[in-house]
Amino acid sequence: MKSVLLIGMGQFGQLLGEKLIGMGNEVMIVDKEEDIINTIAAKYTGALICNCMVEDNLKTLDVPSYDACVVTIADDFQSSLEITSILKDLGAKYIVSKANTDIQRKFLLRVGADEIIYPNRDIAEKLAVKINSEKVYDYIELDSNYSVFEIAVPEKWIGKTIQQANPRAKYGINILTVKKDNKYMPTPTPDTVFEKNDKIVVFGNTEQILLFTNRQK
């Protein structure tokens, strides 16, 4: 269980807060809008109506006691920047701040953010990948070059073993697991046989995997 200070309860902040609470974490929410806090406060460990750009207001929250502080303010970058800086000055252990552009990311990192999130960009990228190839079911970008994908097993692999398909040598793709009947195999072996409707979770260079999936259309 983690303790999280969540500042900015717009749509993204509320979705994140609900997920964190659902996972059993303690979440303290803060927003300057009284109507928002009064509507959702009962769901959370604690709630406060205040302007977090005022340092004295944040001091009352004992910022260093939280495992993570998340700033999700979307419509006022100046506020996000100043709040991130104040949290750093107050001794926050780990700060996650929301950005819309790379320039915002640079400034947020400069004033003390430990991690930057791009919710809109991330959603757009995932949707673009799925639209680009109907055989991609999900993917996680690990960095600018490598990702983990869940994809359909190519028809030409059906009836073959992993060893026979030899995806690492032929395509630079590493199979992490195989999904059969919506259940993941914890340890697929070289002798695992691909069947119709199987899915595979693979790791590799993002461009290589996308090129591979496009060829399977």
Side-chain angles (χ1 to χ4, degrees):
M1 181 181 69
K2 299 285 186 179
S3 59
V4 181
L5 174 60
L6 184 53
I7 300 174
M9 297 308 295
Q11 185 177 21
F12 177 74
Q14 291 184 42
L15 289 171
L16 177 61
E18 289 172 5
K19 289 291 185 183
L20 288 168
I21 284 290
M23 293 176 180
N25 298 292
E26 294 182 347
V27 182
M28 174 72 181
I29 61 169
V30 185
D31 198 285
K32 64 181 180 181
E33 298 296 335
E34 183 176 354
D35 290 345
I36 292 176
I37 293 297
N38 287 340
T39 301
I40 63 177
K43 301 177 183 178
Y44 296 94
T45 310
L48 181 67
I49 303 163
C50 77
N51 181 358
C52 291
M53 291 178 69
V54 178
E55 185 171 346
D56 287 343
N57 289 339
L58 283 179
K59 283 182 179 178
T60 66
L61 293 169
D62 189 17
V63 169
S65 68
Y66 293 93
D67 294 308
C69 298
V70 186
V71 183
T72 66
I73 298 170
D75 57 353
D76 185 348
F77 178 64
Q78 184 63 33
S79 294
S80 180
L81 193 67
E82 291 190 27
I83 292 167
T84 299
S85 179
I86 294 170
L87 289 170
K88 187 68 173 180
D89 290 342
L90 292 178
K93 293 176 183 175
Y94 196 82
I95 304 171
V96 181
S97 297
K98 181 177 180 290
N100 293 320
T101 67
D102 286 336
I103 293 296
Q104 290 182 358
R105 174 183 180 276
K106 289 179 182 179
F107 280 108
L108 288 166
L109 289 172
R110 195 171 296 171
V111 300
D114 297 290
E115 182 178 348
I116 306 299
I117 53 174
Y118 295 86
N120 294 335
R121 187 192 70 175
D122 293 345
I123 291 171
E125 287 184 350
K126 279 202 169 187
L127 180 58
V129 167
K130 288 185 178 181
I131 291 173
N132 180 65
S133 176
E134 62 184 16
K135 296 186 180 296
V136 173
Y137 296 97
D138 200 2
Y139 93 107
I140 301 171
E141 184 180 275
L142 301 180
D143 61 21
S144 59
N145 295 312
Y146 293 92
S147 300
V148 175
F149 282 74
E150 182 176 307
I151 62 177
V153 170
E155 289 186 13
K156 63 183 179 181
W157 289 7
I158 295 173
K160 294 182 178 180
T161 65
I162 292 178
Q163 187 173 33
Q164 289 170 333
N166 202 8
R168 182 182 297 176
K170 292 182 179 179
Y171 309 103
I173 294 175
N174 297 281
I175 293 180
L176 302 180
T177 187
V178 179
K179 190 175 184 181
K180 292 179 177 289
D181 298 323
N182 291 319
K183 294 181 180 179
Y184 294 103
M185 298 180 64
T187 53
T189 68
D191 295 325
T192 297
V193 177
F194 294 117
E195 299 173 317
K196 189 176 181 180
N197 299 323
D198 281 356
K199 298 174 184 176
I200 48 176
V201 178
V202 301
F203 164 76
N205 178 273
T206 304
E207 290 187 5
Q208 278 187 293
I209 297 175
L210 287 175
L211 182 61
F212 171 77
T213 58
N214 286 338
R215 285 174 175 170
Q216 309 310 312
K217 289 183 180 180

